[in-house]
Amino acid sequence: MLGKDSFEGVYVSSNFLTEASRIGRLLQNDRILEGLPEGVVVLNSDNSILWANERMRQWSGRDSVTGMNFYAALNSPDILGPDFCPFQTALSTDKPSSTTLRSGKPSEFDHDSGSRNCDDAAPPPEPSLKDTSYFRIHASPVHEPGLPPQHLIVTVRDVTNDVFQQQKLVAIHQAGIELADMKPDEVAEMSIDARIDLLKSNILHFTKDLLQYDVVEIRMLEWEGERGKLTPLLAEGMTPEAENRVLYAEPTMNGVTGFVAATGKSYLCEDTEQDPLYLEGAQGAKSSLTVPLILHEKTIGTFNVESPEPKAFSENDLQFLEIFARDVAVALNTLQLLVAEKESTVAESCEAIHSAVALPIDDILNDAVGVMERYIGLDPDVVDRLQRILRNAREVKQVIQQVGQRMKPSQALPQGPQQGEKRPSLRRRRILVADADETVRSASHNLLERYGCIVETARDAHEALAMARHSEATNQEYDAIISDIRLPEMTGYELMVKLQEFLAHVPLILMTGYGYDPGHSIVKARQAGLKFVLYKPFRLDQLIDAVERTVTAPKTVSP
């Protein structure tokens, strides 16, 4: 009553003076909870609301929800899991429980339909995105001395934007896979122009239907001596003058496109009339977004979209377009490979696609983990977003690897002593390879992933340590770590000592060329517990044997 109404004063009987001292604190807490951006409710064991803050009342569209069933207040949402009975779980186990809810527009549901039971029948038809809200709820039991919990504190967070972003990222990843999925036997009879037209058609399809951009321009970087010319590959919605404009990869006098190609950095133009770099592309465009096409850390072109609305693009659009642009770059590279190697087999094409994708994704993983280490403890939201980038990057690589395995015929397996041997102990084993030589990192993917290993690489010891720390922190430890004895700024032995600082078990394999070890790194490492050494050049069966023995060996505690 004190929180909602206005009173001139408060009279407290002498019998309740002890309780009166709590009134001020309770009123202060009530006002704090009312101002939270998240919903907060108190539930009893029947899921009835005893109290709710202002945010919860806003989401329900009612002035008061006291006495209502919790699910009814949120328009009878669908429970998506992972816990389909979160309130019962929290009360019965006396431990917190969380789940995700999906709710449609209030007009589409019966307000008096009551709660969704755990044994509900088949879910209703999938609502459209624009009519859907997603909520993440967390239920904690209220502990009462000497009694089983009878009440719950439930927080409700609107995660609609996060869910939609994740759904869009998955769709973009799938679109990227389909862009690059051009099998040689399907395009062998097509001319070069027909192949380019096919790819352009696919790009336009996904750009319009998935990203919902109507104005698109893609230019490829072609070098004329020391000057990079940006040649139009695809243009949709651009003026003829803009489409035929000669542009170079230079930061000035060549518009936003030239700047992006020269710097390799994305550019968000919120107001074309005020931006000094912008050159007219689409007639009446008020904002634009341009990202580089990057392959193997090199800019190979640009991807530009424009809108007649000012400030039409957000940071989320920038993220989506950068991810899609990487897939476009891979698809363009795939097209070039198919044109140059008309007689390639399916297996060769699969390996070429994988080689073009594996190391760039490793770079994304290394960069994200490196940034995350600098943000830990400072901004949980940034760390959470980086965690999602890591998960999405790994998902992309695994999906592409699975597609390649399905495309690959049996005769494409590696020749040698282990041909046809499945090596089940290597399946799904996580391997980290640290070597400054790009050839070694690329070969590690090609060789180890044939046996079902999940391979990630690092260019130096600092990246390797960061990747190992992150994997250990997320309970995804590497089953084997393969490192050259001479990494930039650190020896293999020094790397082993650093790993032992935070890993109870260090499954390290050191590589050295022709037995060269002037710093006695291997001797020191053996004294510290090293078990396996590979001497370059080694055969495939020697590598596989060392990895298999490492991942199956009993775990020993580091000294």
Side-chain angles (χ1 to χ4, degrees):
M1 293 175 65
L2 285 171
K4 293 180 174 58
D5 298 324
S6 177
F7 296 90
E8 297 296 333
V10 179
Y11 170 80
V12 182
S13 169
S14 61
N15 296 330
F16 296 95
L17 287 179
T18 302
E19 296 296 326
S21 64
R22 300 174 54 202
I23 291 179
R25 293 196 302 273
L26 290 173
L27 183 59
Q28 183 180 35
N29 293 340
D30 182 81
R31 289 175 177 172
I32 292 174
L33 292 173
E34 286 289 355
L36 285 179
E38 295 184 351
V40 183
V41 301
V42 179
L43 295 184
N44 64 14
S45 58
D46 296 327
N47 296 350
S48 295
I49 298 175
L50 304 180
W51 178 91
N53 69 345
E54 175 63 22
R55 178 63 67 187
M56 185 66 184
R57 295 194 294 273
Q58 290 177 358
W59 283 336
S60 70
R62 300 170 176 84
D63 294 332
S64 175
V65 293
T66 302
M68 289 190 64
N69 178 277
F70 175 85
Y71 294 111
L74 286 179
N75 307 309
S76 301
D78 301 313
I79 303 177
L80 304 183
D83 192 336
F84 292 90
C85 305
F87 303 149
Q88 294 181 22
T89 298
L91 290 174
S92 61
T93 64
D94 199 15
K95 294 180 180 179
S97 179
S98 299
T99 197
T100 301
L101 308 178
R102 181 182 62 203
S103 176
K105 283 185 176 181
S107 60
E108 297 178 0
F109 294 92
D110 179 4
H111 291 173
D112 299 322
S113 61
S115 65
R116 289 294 177 110
N117 297 322
C118 302
D119 300 324
D120 272 351
E126 189 80 14
S128 63
L129 294 183
K130 65 181 180 180
D131 296 337
T132 308
S133 294
Y134 291 85
F135 297 99
R136 183 71 176 173
I137 65 172
H138 181 85
S140 296
V142 178
H143 297 97
E144 302 174 28
L147 296 173
Q150 298 294 321
H151 300 89
L152 297 170
I153 302 294
V154 181
T155 58
V156 186
R157 182 163 62 95
D158 189 341
V159 294
T160 304
N161 288 337
D162 292 343
V163 171
F164 287 175
Q165 282 192 46
Q166 184 65 28
Q167 291 174 347
K168 197 167 184 179
L169 282 172
V170 171
I172 289 173
H173 293 159
Q174 185 60 38
I177 294 169
E178 293 183 26
L179 277 178
D181 190 17
M182 295 186 296
K183 302 178 179 62
D185 57 344
E186 294 180 355
V187 298
E189 303 302 323
M190 300 173 66
S191 66
I192 294 177
D193 290 339
R195 296 174 184 182
I196 294 176
D197 288 341
L198 173 62
L199 178 58
K200 288 162 62 175
S201 175
N202 287 341
I203 292 173
L204 275 179
H205 166 70
F206 289 120
T207 303
K208 289 186 174 183
D209 291 356
L210 182 59
L211 299 177
Q212 298 180 345
Y213 302 146
D214 293 325
V215 178
V216 184
E217 182 187 47
I218 294 179
R219 288 179 178 249
M220 302 304 297
L221 186 57
E222 298 179 358
W223 290 95
E224 299 176 348
E226 296 184 355
R227 200 178 193 194
K229 184 177 181 180
L230 290 162
T231 303
L233 172 70
L234 182 155
E236 182 80 6
M238 305 291 284
T239 65
E241 179 184 356
E243 186 175 347
N244 297 321
R245 182 183 292 133
V246 177
L247 295 175
Y248 292 91
E250 297 173 0
T252 58
M253 307 300 293
N254 285 272
V256 173
T257 298
F259 175 85
V260 170
T263 62
K265 298 179 180 179
S266 301
Y267 194 93
L268 178 58
C269 175
E270 295 186 332
D271 188 346
T272 59
E273 296 180 355
Q274 302 296 325
D275 197 299
L277 285 180
Y278 180 78
L279 298 176
E280 185 182 34
Q283 186 174 4
K286 300 297 183 182
S287 58
S288 71
L289 178 60
T290 310
V291 302
L293 296 174
I294 297 178
L295 186 69
H296 301 316
E297 298 184 353
K298 293 183 179 180
T299 300
I300 64 171
T302 59
F303 196 129
N304 175 56
V305 296
E306 303 192 4
S307 172
E309 300 294 329
K311 297 183 179 180
F313 305 106
S314 65
E315 291 297 328
N316 287 340
D317 294 307
L318 177 63
Q319 179 191 20
F320 292 142
L321 193 59
E322 284 179 338
I323 293 172
F324 187 61
R326 285 186 176 272
D327 294 324
V328 170
V330 172
L332 290 169
N333 184 62
T334 302
L335 179 64
Q336 293 171 351
L337 291 171
L338 293 174
V339 171
E341 303 175 13
K342 295 181 180 180
E343 310 214 346
S344 295
T345 63
V346 173
E348 290 171 341
S349 296
C350 288
E351 290 189 2
I353 295 171
H354 187 270
S355 298
V357 173
L359 292 185
I361 291 182
D362 282 350
D363 293 343
I364 294 174
L365 296 176
N366 286 318
D367 291 344
V369 170
V371 173
M372 187 181 303
E373 289 208 328
R374 293 197 295 271
Y375 273 93
I376 285 179
L378 298 177
D379 191 340
D381 183 65
V382 173
V383 174
D384 184 63
R385 288 176 180 272
L386 290 171
Q387 290 280 18
R388 291 204 298 269
I389 291 174
L390 287 169
R391 290 194 298 269
N392 292 332
R394 283 175 170 137
E395 286 177 10
V396 171
K397 187 164 66 172
Q398 290 177 16
V399 169
I400 292 176
Q401 183 180 356
Q402 292 168 1
V403 171
Q405 290 295 329
R406 289 197 299 268
M407 292 172 60
K408 191 180 301 182
S410 58
Q411 60 267 29
L413 293 175
Q415 301 293 321
Q418 307 301 334
Q419 182 179 3
E421 190 172 345
K422 293 184 179 180
R423 302 262 189 167
S425 60
L426 297 181
R427 298 289 301 174
R428 309 299 299 171
R429 296 288 190 171
R430 303 187 74 247
I431 313 296
L432 176 65
V433 179
D435 200 301
D437 189 342
E438 181 178 319
T439 303
V440 173
R441 300 197 306 273
S442 179
S444 300
H445 279 286
N446 292 334
L447 299 177
L448 293 172
E449 288 178 349
R450 294 173 180 174
Y451 295 89
C453 296
I454 300 172
V455 181
E456 294 175 359
T457 66
R459 292 163 290 197
D460 55 40
H462 295 299
E463 286 186 351
L465 289 169
M467 295 293 287
R469 272 193 296 267
H470 176 263
S471 295
E472 194 271 341
T474 55
N475 295 320
Q476 294 180 321
E477 296 89 352
Y478 292 109
D479 297 292
I481 301 174
I482 306 173
S483 171
D484 190 77
I485 65 165
R486 291 183 299 167
L487 293 172
E489 303 178 354
M490 197 175 295
T491 67
Y493 167 69
E494 292 169 337
L495 174 65
M496 183 175 185
V497 172
K498 292 288 186 183
L499 290 170
Q500 288 176 340
E501 292 179 1
F502 57 91
L503 292 180
H505 171 67
V506 180
L508 185 64
I509 302 172
L510 287 182
M511 300 182 294
T512 180
Y514 303 100
Y516 178 73
D517 187 16
H520 306 293
S521 195
I522 292 177
V523 174
K524 295 177 182 177
R526 286 191 186 279
Q527 293 173 348
L530 180 72
K531 300 297 183 183
F532 302 103
V533 178
L534 285 171
Y535 296 92
K536 301 176 184 178
F538 47 79
R539 301 190 310 272
L540 173 60
D541 60 323
Q542 293 173 322
L543 170 66
I544 298 302
D545 286 339
V547 173
E548 187 171 45
R549 291 166 62 191
T550 299
V551 302
T552 57
K555 292 186 177 181
T556 57
V557 178
S558 302

